[in-house]
Amino acid sequence: MYEKQVLICGDTGCRSSHSDIIEEEIRQTIKEAGKEKSIDVVRVGCFGLCEAGPIAIVYPGGKFYAYLKEGDGIRIAKEDLIGNDTIEELLYQETLTDDVLKSIYETTFYKKQKKIAHKNCGLVNPNSIEEYIALDGYRGLEKALTKMNPQEVIDVIKESGLRGRGGGGFPTGMKWQFTKDATGSPKYVICNADEGDPGAFMDRSILEGDPYAVIEAMTIAAYAIGASQGYIYIRAEYPSAVALLERSIAKAKELNLLGNNIMGSGFSFDLELRLGAGAFVCGEEMALIESIEGKRGIPRNKPPFPANEGLWGKPTLINNVETYANVAQIIFRGASWFNSIGTEKSKGTKVFTLGGNIKRTGIIEVPMGTTLREIIYDIGGGIIDDKEFKAVQTGGPSGGCITKDYLDTPIDYDNLTALGSMMGSGGMIVMDEDTCMVDIARFFLEFTVDESCGKCTPCREGTKRMLEILERITEGNGTMEDIDTLEELGNTIKISSLCGLGQSAPNPVLSTLRYFRDEYEAHVKEKRCPAHHCKNLLSYFISDTCIGCTRCKRECPVNCIEGEVKKLHVINQDACIKCGNCMEVCPTNSVVFK
């Protein structure tokens, strides 16, 4: 029996901030002190508050150490784990109030969250199937195999109101029913773990923090629809998740929780990994199927849908990681438990990656119906440097931008769609007053142009033409006709593209046109970027507060600044390349732009 335990975040985000070094420092110090049998050191999945990483939590007491750096692991081991002293300067500030130590889950970042898909992340050793089982793991599968027939399993998923968490929010139970009822054999179960949205890492955090939740759920799904083979399609850029899944699948087979005659029930199901090469379009279910079959990852025409003709022409069920992460708990706890959470048409919780110009970045999981204001200001802590909120972009490159007028909108599938955005996989990028919305639209469209498979003309050619127009506008060469053309092209592409990538690609442009048309017009009519972001539309000047220190002159790469020591300097506008070096180095903030 261990006397103490320290949980160290081993998610890719914290490891990129060198949590491995902290972990090794703790382990080595404990080993040198001969305390290995009394102090347990566990690498766990993501805690969610990525902005504060590397993170470690010490039990008993739940002391939450954050923003750790090299050497802090030695201190934690010596002073706290061995010496029984709390290191106050390393604690996450909000957990220590009036000398009272609060739990991490009492902080403002966590108070309004509810964990379902992320229930075990940050709590269990993802390598330990025993720890997963200790927290009700495999209770759902056991119940399904011993007390329910396949149709009863599907009925529970239907009654729960679970909708797909990977994009459009199609009812999960209905998709399972279609696949079960389809003619043809064998049938397949696929997990779409091809997470390609910029700034999105929800699926990765689940796979790295709680892989058995997905494996158990896929086994339940296979029982429900009558499949004996499944595949997890995961991008090769997630090497830690890939390695962990391989070990987890092997361990589940070893314990007869996967493979032949699972739990002595007579039901058999095997699971394999398939690695993707990083094409964004392979997140689309038909392109994903093509890739698993060894072909180029491009979409097929629909119908027929995968439920009828999917992998190798056979009925196939596809759900994403987060959708599966809810399934085992729904079967174990019941449909009424899940559908008591959320809104009338959007049940349960949703995982988001919260990023951009916001104080607390990371992964959050909130009940459907939580407002944008609660997420941005209560959970996220508001805008960096207390600047004005301008917009939030939801749904990744396929989503849209939402303004401050809609901050009190309850988040669910239908509300976001009505605002010109979408839930998508769950990316949420917050933007402040200094963000140019025209350039944001250009940035996301550039991504989708690069990732288009090129199969259909509207997406291949239409998005490219839209990008060219946006580039002209941000460079100061746009016309009012360009704005009208953007809108016309965007609406045409939405209704005529082959797959979801093309159909949603214009969303960032159309939503910014809807809410920020004045910015487009300022770029075109006045040759001015209101956010002072687009370089071609900026002009740098030196004000009369200049002290003549010559730093700007020395740092100018094109020698366009004139002036003597201790005298007012002047920028030659014809020669200036608008690099901004002069503004960065000026000690008196005398360089301004207009």
Side-chain angles (χ1 to χ4, degrees):
M1 178 68 73
Y2 292 107
E3 296 174 5
K4 289 191 173 184
Q5 183 182 63
V6 56
L7 306 181
I8 303 166
C9 180
D11 183 77
T12 295
C14 271
R15 282 190 286 112
S16 70
S17 300
H18 308 300
S19 66
D20 285 347
I21 294 176
I22 307 299
E23 180 184 350
E24 181 56 32
E25 288 178 341
I26 292 174
R27 290 187 184 277
Q28 187 61 33
T29 305
I30 289 171
K31 181 178 180 181
E32 291 172 357
K35 295 286 187 178
E36 294 168 285
K37 293 184 179 180
S38 60
I39 300 174
D40 187 24
V41 182
V42 184
R43 176 186 288 194
V44 296
C46 182
F47 289 107
L49 189 53
C50 304
E51 177 263 338
I55 289 169
I57 301 182
V58 172
Y59 292 99
K63 287 171 275 191
F64 180 41
Y65 293 116
Y67 304 104
L68 300 177
K69 58 186 184 300
E70 190 170 349
D72 288 340
I74 297 172
R75 289 194 64 190
I76 291 171
K78 286 184 176 180
E79 298 176 37
D80 190 323
L81 295 169
I82 299 172
N84 296 312
D85 290 329
T86 299
I87 312 170
E88 292 189 3
E89 62 267 31
L90 296 185
L91 289 172
Y92 184 64
Q93 186 176 8
E94 196 183 339
T95 61
L96 186 64
T97 305
D98 298 326
D99 295 326
V100 176
L101 194 63
K102 295 193 302 184
S103 162
I104 175 179
Y105 300 107
E106 295 177 42
T107 63
T108 52
F109 182 78
Y110 290 98
K111 277 194 296 189
K112 292 194 174 182
Q113 294 193 49
K114 184 173 181 62
K115 303 288 188 180
I116 297 179
H118 265 246
K119 179 176 79 80
N120 292 330
C121 293
L123 291 179
V124 301
N125 177 355
N127 282 293
S128 173
I129 195 170
E130 293 79 10
E131 289 192 20
Y132 176 72
I133 291 172
L135 292 178
D136 296 328
Y138 282 98
R139 298 286 294 276
L141 179 60
E142 179 192 29
K143 182 179 178 181
L145 294 180
T146 61
K147 299 178 181 179
M148 305 170 73
N149 62 44
Q151 186 58 53
E152 288 173 332
V153 172
I154 293 175
D155 288 342
V156 170
I157 298 300
K158 284 182 180 177
E159 292 165 16
S160 73
L162 177 65
R163 296 172 65 171
R165 299 305 198 240
F170 191 82
T172 303
M174 190 179 297
K175 182 182 283 190
W176 289 26
Q177 188 72 64
F178 289 157
T179 315
K180 178 182 183 298
D181 293 344
T183 57
S185 182
K187 296 181 179 180
Y188 297 99
V189 173
I190 294 176
C191 175
N192 183 350
D194 189 67
E195 187 173 48
D197 289 10
F201 46 96
M202 300 79 62
D203 291 352
R204 190 203 71 209
S205 68
I206 293 172
L207 294 174
E208 290 185 357
D210 195 17
Y212 291 107
V214 175
I215 295 171
E216 180 185 4
M218 293 185 70
T219 311
I220 293 171
Y223 172 71
I225 70 164
S228 59
Q229 179 65 49
Y231 298 94
I232 299 176
Y233 185 87
I234 181 170
R235 51 184 42 226
E237 294 96 328
Y238 285 176
S240 297
V242 169
L244 182 56
L245 281 169
E246 288 174 341
R247 294 193 298 269
S248 301
I249 289 171
K251 188 65 177 179
K253 288 181 180 179
E254 183 182 319
L255 297 183
N256 189 225
L257 297 171
L258 198 61
N260 294 322
N261 192 24
I262 296 171
M263 294 183 183
S265 65
F267 169 67
S268 299
F269 176 65
D270 202 3
L271 192 57
E272 298 178 21
L273 299 186
R274 288 292 184 269
L275 304 189
F280 180 69
V281 73
C282 286
E284 196 276 337
E285 57 188 12
M286 286 304 202
L288 183 154
I289 287 172
E290 290 280 292
S291 181
I292 292 180
E293 292 179 354
K295 304 170 188 173
R296 181 186 172 199
I298 57 176
R300 301 175 186 168
N301 290 322
K302 291 188 289 188
F305 293 94
N308 298 107
E309 293 184 26
L311 190 62
W312 292 298
K314 303 299 182 182
T316 302
L317 173 68
I318 304 180
N319 287 122
N320 85 322
V321 171
E322 187 186 341
T323 308
Y324 282 123
N326 288 279
V327 166
Q329 295 178 72
I330 291 173
I331 298 300
F332 174 53
R333 297 175 182 271
S336 59
W337 162 76
F338 189 79
N339 65 31
S340 67
I341 304 164
T343 65
E344 182 182 355
K345 295 183 179 180
S346 298
K347 303 297 184 181
T349 61
K350 181 69 186 80
V351 179
F352 293 97
T353 51
L354 190 58
N357 304 122
I358 194 164
K359 292 178 181 178
R360 304 188 195 110
T361 58
I363 294 180
I364 65 171
E365 185 173 358
V366 295
M368 294 282 192
T370 304
T371 66
L372 288 167
R373 187 183 301 277
E374 289 175 295
I375 290 175
I376 294 167
Y377 286 96
D378 295 342
I379 297 174
I383 311 302
I384 294 173
D385 296 329
D386 295 321
K387 291 185 176 181
E388 284 292 316
F389 167 82
K390 188 168 190 177
V392 58
Q393 202 261 3
T394 66
S398 302
C401 297
I402 301 170
T403 68
K404 61 183 178 182
D405 295 333
Y406 303 99
L407 277 174
D408 294 310
T409 300
I411 291 179
D412 64 17
Y413 290 97
D414 302 317
N415 284 340
L416 290 182
T417 300
L419 293 175
S421 188
M422 63 187 295
M423 189 79 73
S425 57
M428 187 174 286
I429 307 299
V430 178
M431 292 166 272
D432 66 18
E433 60 193 75
D434 295 330
T435 304
C436 173
M437 303 311 296
V438 183
D439 192 61
I440 282 291
R442 183 205 58 78
F443 169 80
F444 282 112
L445 198 63
E446 183 177 47
F447 176 85
T448 51
V449 167
D450 286 343
E451 294 293 343
S452 172
C453 74
K455 182 175 182 178
C456 73
T457 303
C459 179
R460 182 186 67 245
E461 299 296 333
T463 57
K464 179 64 175 175
R465 300 291 83 79
M466 288 182 73
L467 178 61
E468 290 170 353
I469 292 171
L470 286 168
E471 287 173 342
R472 285 203 301 271
I473 293 174
T474 56
E475 290 168 1
N477 300 317
T479 66
M480 291 302 293
E481 289 75 18
D482 281 336
I483 297 178
D484 295 333
T485 303
L486 270 179
E487 201 158 28
E488 183 180 352
L489 270 174
N491 288 319
T492 301
I493 293 167
K494 279 180 70 71
I495 63 174
S496 57
S497 290
L498 176 62
C499 78
L501 186 151
Q503 292 162 9
S504 58
N507 284 349
V509 180
L510 294 176
S511 67
T512 50
L513 278 170
R514 177 178 177 181
Y515 298 118
F516 299 98
R517 184 176 286 268
D518 59 325
E519 286 200 25
Y520 281 85
E521 292 179 353
H523 281 70
V524 171
K525 292 180 179 179
E526 305 170 34
K527 308 302 178 186
R528 176 179 65 88
C529 175
H532 299 126
H533 173 82
C534 299
K535 285 175 60 175
N536 280 23
L537 302 181
L538 294 178
S539 294
Y540 288 86
F541 299 90
I542 299 176
S543 71
D544 56 12
T545 59
C546 170
I547 59 175
C549 69
T550 74
R551 287 189 66 181
C552 60
K553 186 176 181 179
R554 285 181 275 129
E555 293 293 332
C556 179
V558 292
N559 299 315
C560 73
I561 300 178
E562 303 169 355
E564 300 177 9
V565 177
K566 295 185 179 181
K567 291 187 178 180
L568 179 67
H569 285 43
V570 177
I571 298 176
N572 182 340
Q573 296 297 322
D574 293 332
C576 179
I577 60 172
K578 305 174 183 181
C579 65
N581 282 1
C582 52
M583 178 175 281
E584 290 181 13
V585 302
C586 179
T588 57
N589 297 319
S590 299
V591 181
V592 296
F593 48 64
K594 297 180 181 179

